[in-house]
């Protein structure tokens, strides 16, 4: 007995020593990474922002500022006694992110159209005039709308107009007869929420014009915003007129960011080949413009011996590059990627001016903090996520590789070195952005590396230099030849995109990824990139865990639109069979998020309908031992309600009539709660709607509270 007690005590002591050594090792590792602690500031801000946007209802207005004020007072007290300051910041920064998101939501609050209306006369001021295929898309503010009280008029709307010949400019007053409707909610729970996006863009309605708009008043330039918008519009028109065909539309996209006139087949080729990032002005374009201006200015100044020997021409070149990049930021529309790139570039050029290291992970962190505090909603923006993922990964890799020690001396070596750099950059950026591409677009371009190896050098050495020359020559009316040369390079990039798109298996489609898995992959990637010692490799654990769990994610079996005009069921082979409707953005979203993008535009095939039987009154769908009835005629209600586990009706149905079914979704449920999806398995039925997933938030079109019901099925007997 005594021997057993002694053995147990020895094991306990040994375990205690192991725990102590582990604790000491962790403390030592954390202390050794002290210089990298600050890099987690934007991550902690993002945690608070994400928590705010996941709340089921809007919190009281005092919550965020009140908690921040209390924590600030506590921080000052703790800082005074110099204890646990870092631990306190772990709580303060998420609360600060939460408060910033709440404040942003409050400040952009504006009326949103409650229901579809029109045609009605709309009078407003043009804020943006974008070219589109076959017409234009116009954003209006300072509105007057017939049949809507002034206090309920949205602060901004966006409508599509066709066949316009009037020379409209930003700042002009227009009168147009249009049909308006509220910004659409998600096509299914978890899909892109345009209503939330429009809320933070101050768009209270969208729609289309039914006749040509009338120009009421041409307003002279007033204010910087109007002047910049007019300049961008004039510049876009001048570029498109100077470069014929598709190349002109792409040239305008690269210089002013206006992509509306690009044909859909070209956009599809760029996406499928992994070259879509070349069309979205981001860090690549800002960096190319700044780099070209910096080296060109420094080269020209070095030609003058006196300047080169006695003055800091490198710093002068940095100032020139900063000014040129700021001008590019203005004319490109100041999108999130360009703002992030300009912030980092400004810090890098400032570092050159004050003789400090130009590129570092700290610059990425401060740029992220600035954007998240000023525009917290950008955390869920695909451009923000992909641009920061690429930059963080690239900076981390180049910190580790340290290419400055690998410079080649011969011309052949320099070419090989550059190609290796392009290949490494493409691979790293592609891997870093792949999870976000899967989450938002549900596809991966398998030959993206091949396309980028050829397209990126053309963009960097041909297209962007001629774009800068064209901009410099434009005030003198000499932009024709630079734009023509730029167009040749663009045609080469388009040819590469179309060639890669035609390769077998160029694109692989995936079902929608769960947001929690994306969060695990993101945190794992940040853990690998932000730390420097060997413990960083622990970040691969959540990454591989998410990859392993990804194929087992549940996919909805039934899809119903809020109007009842589109209904689809998921067959055993994974394809969608459409009971009703085959067109529209809702249908395209369903197909894309189930990994069936190839079905877009195709009709149902009869041999796909193996699990469903239909007549003129309803359809009956069987899967995993469950039966679901899809009803659109009252004559089918009594019979189907007595047999089905769940009934979905596009007509109003009384609960008393259909009380034998476990669950009923009728026309009023669709109207109140938006698009629905149904999950069927052997143990339960889960019904989700846009309202149940989105909660009661200011941007929600379906504010009614609605909880997900899980219906257990035992021994084939329906639950009451």
């Amino acid at each position: 007995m005594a021997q057993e007690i002694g053995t147990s005590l020895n094991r306990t002591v040994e375990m205690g020593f192991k725990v102590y050594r582990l604790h000491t090792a962790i403390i030592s590792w954390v202390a050794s990474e002290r210089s990298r602690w600050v890099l987690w500031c934007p991550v902690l801000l993002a945690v608070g922002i994400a928590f705010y946007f996941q709340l089921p209802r809007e919190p009281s207005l005092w919550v965020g500022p009140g908690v921040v004020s209390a924590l600030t007072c506590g921080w000052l007290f703790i800082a005074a006694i110099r204890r646990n300051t870092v631990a306190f910041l772990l709580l303060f920064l998420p609360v600060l992110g939460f408060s910033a998101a709440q404040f942003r939501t409050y400040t952009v609050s504006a009326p949103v159209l409650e229901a579809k209306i029109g045609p009605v006369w709309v009078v407003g001021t043009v804020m943006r005039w974008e070219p589109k295929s076959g017409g234009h898309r116009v954003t209006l503010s300072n509105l007057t709308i017939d049949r809507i009280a002034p206090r309920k008029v949205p602060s901004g709307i966006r409508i599509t107009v066709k066949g316009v010949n009037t020379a409209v400019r930003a700042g002009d007053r227009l009168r147009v007869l249009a049909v308006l409707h509220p910004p659409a909610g998600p096509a299914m729970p978890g899909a892109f929420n345009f209503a939330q996006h429009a809320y933070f863009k101050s768009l209270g309605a969208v729609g289309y014009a039914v006749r040509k708009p009338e120009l009421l008043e041409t307003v002279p330039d007033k204010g910087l915003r109007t002047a910049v918008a007019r300049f961008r519009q004039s510049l876009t028109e001048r570029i498109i007129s100077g470069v014929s065909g598709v190349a002109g539309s792409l040239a305008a996209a690269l210089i002013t960011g206006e992509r509306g006139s690009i044909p859909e087949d070209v956009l599809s080729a760029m996406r499928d080949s992994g070259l879509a990032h070349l069309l979205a002005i981001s860090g690549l374009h800002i960096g190319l413009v700044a780099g070209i201006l910096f080296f060109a200015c420094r080269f020209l100044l070095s030609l003058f011996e006196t300047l080169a020997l006695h003055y800091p021409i490198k710093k002068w070149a940095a100032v020139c590059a900063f000014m040129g990049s700021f001008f590019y930021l203005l004319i490109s529309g100041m999108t999130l990627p360009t703002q992030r790139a300009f912030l980092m570039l400004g810090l890098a050029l400032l570092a050159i001016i004050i003789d400090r290291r130009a590129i570092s992970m700290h610059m990425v962190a401060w740029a992220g903090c600035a954007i998240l505090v000023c525009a917290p909603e950008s955390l869920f923006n695909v451009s923000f996520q992909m641009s920061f993922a690429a930059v963080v990964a690239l900076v981390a890799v180049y910190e580790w590789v340290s290419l400055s020690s690998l410079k080649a001396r011969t011309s052949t070596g320099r070419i090989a070195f550059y190609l290796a750099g392009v290949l490494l950059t493409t691979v790293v950026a592609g891997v870093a952005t792949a999870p976000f591409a899967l989450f938002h677009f549900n596809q991966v371009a398998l030959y993206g590396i091949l396309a980028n190896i050829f397209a990126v050098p053309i963009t960097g050495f041909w297209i962007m230099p001629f774009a800068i020359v064209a901009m410099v020559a434009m005030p003198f009316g000499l932009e024709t030849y630079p734009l023509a040369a730029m167009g040749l390079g663009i045609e080469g990039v388009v040819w590469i995109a179309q060639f890669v798109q035609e390769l077998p298996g160029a694109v692989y489609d995936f079902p929608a990824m769960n947001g929690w898995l994306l969060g695990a992959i993101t945190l794992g990637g940040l853990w690998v990139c932000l730390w420097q010692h060997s413990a960083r490799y622990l970040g691969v654990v959540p990454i591989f865990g998410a990859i392993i769990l990804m194929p087992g994610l549940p996919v909805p079996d039934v899809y119903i639109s809020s109007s009842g005009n589109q209904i689809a069921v998921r067959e055993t082979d994974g394809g969608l069979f459409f009971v009703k409707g085959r067109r529209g953005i809702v249908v395209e979203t369903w197909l894309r998020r189930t990994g069936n993008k190839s079905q877009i535009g195709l009709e149902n095939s009869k041999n796909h309908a193996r699990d469903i039987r239909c007549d003129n009154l309803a359809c009956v769908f069987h899967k995993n031992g469950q039966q679901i009835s899809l009803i659109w005629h009252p004559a089918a209600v009594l019979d189907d309600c007595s047999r089905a586990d769940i009934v979905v009706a596009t007509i109003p149905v009384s609960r008393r009539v259909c009380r034998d079914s476990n669950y009923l979704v009728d026309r009023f449920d669709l109207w109140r709660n938006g698009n629905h999806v149904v999950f069927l398995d052997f143990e339960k039925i889960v019904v989700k709607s846009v309202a149940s997933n989105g909660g009661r938030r200011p941007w929600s079109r379906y504010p009614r509270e609605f909880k997900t019901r899980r219906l257990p099925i035992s021994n084939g007997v329906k639950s009451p």
Side-chain angles (χ1 to χ4, degrees), residues 459-481:
T459 303
F461 287 104
W462 185 271
I463 296 175
M464 295 308 295
F466 277 111
I468 295 175
V469 173
M471 292 300 299
V472 173
M474 195 168 289
F476 308 100
L478 303 175
E479 73 276 9
T480 303
Y481 294 108

Side-chain angles (χ1 to χ4, degrees), residues 250 253-254 257 259 262-285 335 337 382-383 386-387 426 430 433 437 441 443-449 451-452 455-456 459 493-494 496-498 500-501 507 597:
L250 293 173
L254 292 173
R259 300 189 293 171
I262 302 176
E264 182 57 36
D265 60 329
V266 176
L267 286 174
S268 178
M270 298 294 284
R271 285 192 297 263
D272 294 346
S273 61
L275 297 179
H277 66 96
L278 296 181
L279 300 180
I281 298 176
S282 59
L284 173 65
H285 305 79
T335 59
V382 59
S383 61
M386 296 186 72
S387 61
T426 302
T433 58
F441 308 123
Q443 68 175 31
V444 171
L446 300 183
Y447 299 115
I449 295 175
N452 278 274
V456 170
T459 303
V493 171
V494 172
I496 293 171
Q498 293 173 341
V500 172
Q501 183 190 32
V507 178
K597 186 180 177 182

Side-chain angles (χ1 to χ4, degrees), residues 2 179 189 223 315 320 322 352 420 463 497 553 597 656:
V179 175
K315 298 180 181 181
C320 178
F322 178 84
I352 292 176
I463 296 175
L553 292 176
K597 186 180 177 182
R656 295 180 179 178

Side-chain angles (χ1 to χ4, degrees), residues 164-331:
V164 178
N165 297 320
T166 307
V168 179
R169 293 288 181 268
D172 293 347
R173 294 285 291 178
L174 285 185
R175 183 171 181 263
V176 58
L177 187 64
V179 175
L180 303 176
H181 56 83
M188 59 182 290
F192 172 70
N193 191 347
F194 177 72
Q196 179 179 329
H197 174 79
Y199 178 86
F200 288 97
K201 293 290 185 181
S202 297
L203 294 176
V206 294
Y208 58 91
V210 297
R211 66 171 63 175
K212 182 178 177 179
E214 303 174 14
L215 181 60
L216 297 181
E217 181 183 6
T218 300
V219 182
D221 292 351
K222 59 177 184 178
L224 178 61
R225 182 177 180 181
T226 302
V228 171
R230 287 195 170 196
F231 180 75
R232 289 186 65 227
Q233 183 179 341
S234 300
L235 189 59
T236 300
E237 294 172 353
R238 196 164 175 177
I239 293 169
I240 293 176
S241 63
V243 184
S244 60
V246 175
S249 300
L250 293 173
L254 292 173
I255 295 177
T256 65
E258 296 289 0
R259 300 189 293 171
S261 59
I262 302 176
E264 182 57 36
D265 60 329
V266 176
L267 286 174
S268 178
M270 298 294 284
R271 285 192 297 263
D272 294 346
S273 61
L275 297 179
H277 66 96
L278 296 181
L279 300 180
I281 298 176
S282 59
L284 173 65
H285 305 79
I286 291 281
L288 287 174
V289 169
I292 293 170
L293 291 175
F294 177 80
F295 289 110
C297 183
R298 189 177 182 186
F299 172 75
L300 292 176
L301 291 174
S302 67
L303 298 178
F304 300 93
E305 183 178 355
T306 302
L307 294 178
L309 295 177
H310 299 90
Y311 294 94
I313 61 173
K314 181 179 180 181
K315 298 180 181 181
W316 292 2
V319 173
C320 178
F322 178 84
M323 295 174 61
S325 301
F326 180 71
F327 176 76
Y328 189 36
L329 174 70
L330 290 178
I331 66 173

Side-chain angles (χ1 to χ4, degrees), residues 47-61:
V47 170
I49 294 170
F51 178 75
Y52 167 81
F53 280 100
Q54 295 302 316
L55 292 176
R57 62 172 61 239
E58 190 68 18
S60 299
L61 189 59

